Every structure is written in C-alpha cells, then in structure tokens.
Amino acid sequence: MDRGMVGNASRGRLQVEVRRHGVSSVVSPTGELDHHTAEVLREPLEACVREGDARVVVDCSGLDFCDSTGLNVLLGARLKAEAAGGAIHLAAMTPVVARVFEITGAGAVFTLHDTLDAALAD
C-alpha cells in the first residue's frame, strides 16, 4: 500500500479504506466485521503496523456489526502495534459495536474516542 495513496479493500459485506492523516493512519471499515470478512480488516491493519505507523486510528462509525472474530482482529492488531512501539485507537463506535466491547471488557485495553476528530486531535 502506497503511504501517499488511499487504499481500499472489500469482500462482500465489509469494505475498508485506509488514508493518512498527519502522523496517523486512519482505517475505516464499513459494513459487517465477522468470521467471513475479518481478513479484509486484518490485512490493512497489519500493513500499517509493518510500515511503521506509530498510531493507527480505526474509525468504527461505519461498522454495523462486529463478532468475536472481528474483535480478535482488533486485539491482535493492538498487540502487534504495541510490540512495534505503536498504538491502535478506536473512534466513533456505533452502539451495537460498543456493546460488544462493553460485554467483553475489551474496551479497557484500547484508547477509545467518541469521534474521529477527537481521536485525530489527541
């Protein structure tokens, strides 16, 4: 993925856009994040970490659904980012996605932001 270009990936019910915003990469998944679509998000998240992005913001505002496989993709990306000295931030969760993080307690291990603007300003 060219760091100066917008990247896109899709598989059926999930599309992912990646763009640069200052020192951050913004990864925007849209649709349903589940067992069948998890790789569509995993690949660009891992590419951002491999490319040395210190901060990756996942804009969750377009996610309609997230199951345990999707949650594991985000948790795995967080571990890889932290091992590389970076971080994964989550922004603008829809209520249905926020509920998954609340039930599992996974929200406690991420930096969460109410809006994408707040995540980018932080």
Side-chain angles (χ1 to χ4, degrees):
M1 182 179 323
D2 184 338
R3 294 175 61 83
M5 301 293 290
V6 172
N8 289 298
S10 68
R11 183 178 307 147
R13 298 182 323 262
L14 185 70
Q15 296 182 343
V16 178
E17 177 185 313
V18 180
R19 67 184 191 282
R20 297 288 301 161
H21 188 278
V23 297
S24 299
S25 285
V26 178
V27 178
S28 302
T30 301
E32 298 178 9
L33 177 57
D34 60 23
H35 172 74
H36 300 288
T37 61
E39 287 303 310
V40 177
L41 181 58
R42 182 187 328 271
E43 292 167 2
L45 285 174
E46 289 182 358
C48 289
V49 172
R50 271 193 317 274
E51 292 172 5
D53 292 348
R55 182 175 169 171
V56 178
V57 177
V58 180
D59 176 4
C60 299
S61 64
L63 279 179
D64 300 322
F65 178 79
C66 179
D67 72 359
S68 61
T69 305
L71 179 61
N72 283 328
V73 166
L74 293 167
L75 289 166
R78 176 189 146 292
L79 290 175
K80 288 179 181 182
E82 288 182 357
I88 302 285
H89 292 243
L90 304 179
M93 279 193 212
T94 60
V96 69
V97 174
R99 182 76 176 132
V100 171
F101 280 78
E102 179 184 324
I103 289 169
T104 62
V109 299
F110 287 97
T111 302
L112 305 176
H113 304 272
D114 291 334
T115 67
L116 178 59
D117 287 341
L120 294 173
D122 189 19

